[in-house]
Amino acid sequence: MRSYNQYCALAKALDVVGDRWTLLIVRELIIQGPCRYTDLRNGLPGVATNLLADRLRDLEEVGIVRREEAPPPVASTLVHLTERGRALWPAIRELGRWGGPLLAEPGAGEDEEFRTHWLAVPTWLHLVDRRPKDKPIAIEVRSGQDAMVIETEGGEVRTRAGRAEAPDAVIISPPKPFLGLITGRLDLAQAEERGLRYEGDATALTRVLPDRAQSTSRRTA
Amino acid sequence: MRSYNQYCALAKALDVVGDRWTLLIVRELIIQGPCRYTDLRNGLPGVATNLLADRLRDLEEVGIVRREEAPPPVASTLVHLTERGRALWPAIRELGRWGGPLLAEPGAGEDEEFRTHWLAVPTWLHLVDRRPKDKPIAIEVRSGQDAMVIETEGGEVRTRAGRAEAPDAVIISPPKPFLGLITGRLDLAQAEERGLRYEGDATALTRVLPDRAQSTSRRTA
DNA sequence: CCGCATCCGGGGCGATACTG
DNA sequence: CAGTATCGCCCCGGATGCGG
């Protein structure tokens, strides 16, 4: 991106990460961890391959990512975030928080690309461990073709891309009712009416859901 | 901006505020408050006039700003942030925090545009009121052609564009030593060696400076 | 002077094809 | 798998014009 040529912290930040696709690339690396080029392409539907290559070069130059050759069994170059790159997390988190309500708007999600692991940030924002002393749990979420895991660890809730080894529950749902549930706009019964399904331990779900999602929704029955 | 067409909170946010100049316009409205078109132009050196007009239209459409005719003494249309627009503050704050270190890099600030009120965010990030029970103070800062005010109020430090009525101190300084002082990289004596000057009550300054800026710098004397 | 609209040149971006 | 090459479009930047 052309520089704004302003001696201002925000303008300088946007000089570096204001280019199209740049913050979305960082999003992928934050959620997925170290990625191959192809992993990034899969997580960034719509990006032109030359643009992705250009951006990775730029991001490496400014010290946000680093490329490393993975050892023999993998034999592939992996893109890592540097410490400076991970420092973008608060900015991405707050931009995502601001954008969250747009996902609930009518028409949002129609004819749009989707990956389950994109739910990791909003999920992390809204869930809490209501029984931090109980033994840790893991919940697998399948909303698109890929999967995401919600884990409790030391009273904190963590989310990440991928599958769980032995999940206490598995949620299979279109993105909207799942988001309605975790943001508290819907309770579990209402989310199920809208297409959310789960298998396994229901108490694992209620353990991490916010207050407003706890009701059994007799009012709508 | 063209939509990313992704059902993802970050992508949706960038669909709305990812266009060039958009977040800088919001920056101006956050720091300066309601602005005339010309105020925005002054605070956004380098912007093309048509782009500014386009962006204001876009921002109005998505509900981030609102235009209002000011009553007769002013007789001008003022651009306000809506509640949804003010909600961008955390994202702008964190992007600015991330970009802050770039202002200290060698060469930064040379041949770049500058406005004193751009220091409002970094100043707010770093200063604290170390004597919240004492009576409130105001410090005026003049670094470019315009001015900025640091005020204590109820134990909080506030910053805003403009001049103070009866400041307890006035700082006149190039931006870099001022930033060095408030971030704690320089103490007062070191900042003065690099061009910072002040008039008025020195204790007003030390009241709001962070720990590391408190030393009298005998080590460099 | 304020608040734009219009015009034009350049380059960032998007889509696809191709390669080691 | 990990990119490069090419091409067309449209966003953006800069200048100018213009009504209130």
Side-chain angles (χ1 to χ4, degrees):
Chain A
M1 172 171 289
R2 242 193 99 139
S3 171
Y4 287 107
N5 200 41
Q6 295 185 357
Y7 190 71
C8 159
L10 177 64
K12 290 275 182 198
L14 293 174
D15 282 347
V16 178
V17 298
D19 259 319
R20 198 156 160 73
W21 291 104
T22 301
L23 282 179
L24 295 187
I25 293 172
V26 179
R27 171 197 74 188
E28 286 303 306
L29 291 167
I30 285 179
I31 300 177
Q32 296 204 47
C35 285
R36 295 173 302 170
Y37 187 87
T38 307
D39 299 331
L40 288 171
R41 284 197 58 179
N42 286 334
L44 296 163
V47 74
T49 62
N50 57 344
L51 261 186
L52 180 53
D54 285 353
R55 292 292 179 269
L56 288 176
R57 235 190 315 278
D58 298 341
L59 287 171
E60 196 170 12
E61 270 178 24
V62 298
I64 290 176
V65 307
R66 210 177 42 230
R67 275 179 242 233
E68 278 177 19
E69 300 296 326
V74 189
S76 175
T77 68
L78 288 181
V79 180
H80 294 253
L81 278 180
T82 63
E83 196 54 42
R84 181 76 179 143
R86 278 188 292 277
L88 281 166
W89 161 242
I92 287 175
R93 182 190 62 209
E94 296 306 328
L95 270 171
R97 198 197 302 273
W98 187 86
L102 302 173
L103 297 179
E105 289 190 346
E110 291 171 18
D111 301 321
E112 287 186 324
E113 296 284 350
F114 175 69
R115 301 292 182 272
T116 303
H117 70 265
W118 293 345
L119 297 172
V121 174
T123 302
W124 178 87
L125 283 175
H126 290 284
L127 298 196
V128 289
D129 187 356
R130 309 167 73 86
R131 297 193 297 274
K133 309 228 170 166
D134 289 11
K135 81 179 206 335
I137 57 168
I139 303 169
E140 184 170 301
V141 180
R142 295 181 207 146
S143 197
Q145 293 152 343
D146 61 333
M148 174 185 79
V149 184
I150 304 166
E151 290 166 318
T152 64
E153 182 182 322
E156 299 288 307
V157 171
R158 292 246 152 261
T159 57
R160 59 175 178 86
R163 309 225 133 170
E165 289 189 15
D168 298 272
V170 177
I171 298 176
I172 300 152
S173 169
K176 267 194 167 179
F178 176 78
L179 282 167
L181 181 67
I182 64 170
T183 59
R185 282 185 297 103
L186 305 177
D187 62 30
L188 194 48
Q190 292 170 321
E192 291 191 81
E193 285 170 17
R194 289 163 174 77
L196 180 142
R197 296 288 174 265
Y198 70 91
E199 306 161 358
D201 184 3
T203 66
L205 303 189
T206 57
R207 173 167 167 179
V208 294
L209 291 177
D211 278 334
R212 280 168 303 175
Q214 295 290 328
S215 138
T216 52
S217 191
R218 294 219 181 81
R219 63 182 182 273
T220 68
Chain B
M1 171 171 288
R2 243 193 99 131
S3 171
Y4 286 106
N5 200 41
Q6 294 185 357
Y7 191 71
C8 158
L10 177 64
K12 291 274 183 197
L14 292 175
D15 282 347
V16 177
V17 298
D19 259 318
R20 198 156 161 74
W21 292 103
T22 302
L23 281 179
L24 295 187
I25 292 171
V26 178
R27 170 197 75 188
E28 287 302 307
L29 291 167
I30 285 179
I31 301 178
Q32 294 203 50
C35 285
R36 294 173 302 170
Y37 187 87
T38 307
D39 299 330
L40 288 171
R41 283 198 57 179
N42 287 333
L44 296 162
V47 73
T49 62
N50 57 343
L51 262 185
L52 180 52
D54 285 351
R55 292 293 179 268
L56 288 175
R57 232 191 317 278
D58 298 341
L59 288 171
E60 196 171 14
E61 270 177 26
V62 297
I64 291 177
V65 307
R66 208 176 45 229
R67 275 180 242 230
E68 279 178 18
E69 300 295 324
V74 188
S76 175
T77 69
L78 289 181
V79 180
H80 294 253
L81 279 180
T82 63
E83 196 54 41
R84 180 77 177 142
R86 278 188 292 276
L88 280 165
W89 161 242
I92 286 176
R93 183 189 63 208
E94 296 305 328
L95 271 170
R97 199 197 301 273
W98 187 87
L102 303 174
L103 298 179
E105 288 190 345
E110 291 171 18
D111 301 320
E112 289 186 322
E113 296 284 350
F114 175 70
R115 301 291 184 272
T116 303
H117 70 265
W118 292 346
L119 297 171
V121 175
T123 303
W124 179 87
L125 283 175
H126 291 285
L127 299 195
V128 289
D129 188 357
R130 308 166 72 86
R131 297 193 296 276
K133 310 230 170 164
D134 290 11
K135 79 179 204 345
I137 57 167
I139 302 170
E140 185 170 300
V141 180
R142 296 181 206 145
S143 196
Q145 293 152 343
D146 61 333
M148 174 184 80
V149 184
I150 304 166
E151 290 166 318
T152 65
E153 181 182 323
E156 297 289 306
V157 171
R158 292 247 152 258
T159 57
R160 58 175 178 85
R163 310 224 133 169
E165 289 188 16
D168 297 273
V170 177
I171 297 176
I172 299 152
S173 169
K176 267 194 167 178
F178 176 79
L179 283 167
L181 180 67
I182 64 169
T183 58
R185 283 185 297 103
L186 304 177
D187 62 30
L188 194 48
Q190 291 170 321
E192 291 192 81
E193 284 170 18
R194 288 164 174 77
L196 180 143
R197 296 287 175 268
Y198 70 90
E199 305 161 359
D201 184 3
T203 65
L205 301 189
T206 57
R207 173 168 168 179
V208 294
L209 291 177
D211 278 334
R212 281 168 302 175
Q214 294 290 329
S215 138
T216 50
S217 191
R218 293 217 182 80
R219 62 183 181 274
T220 68

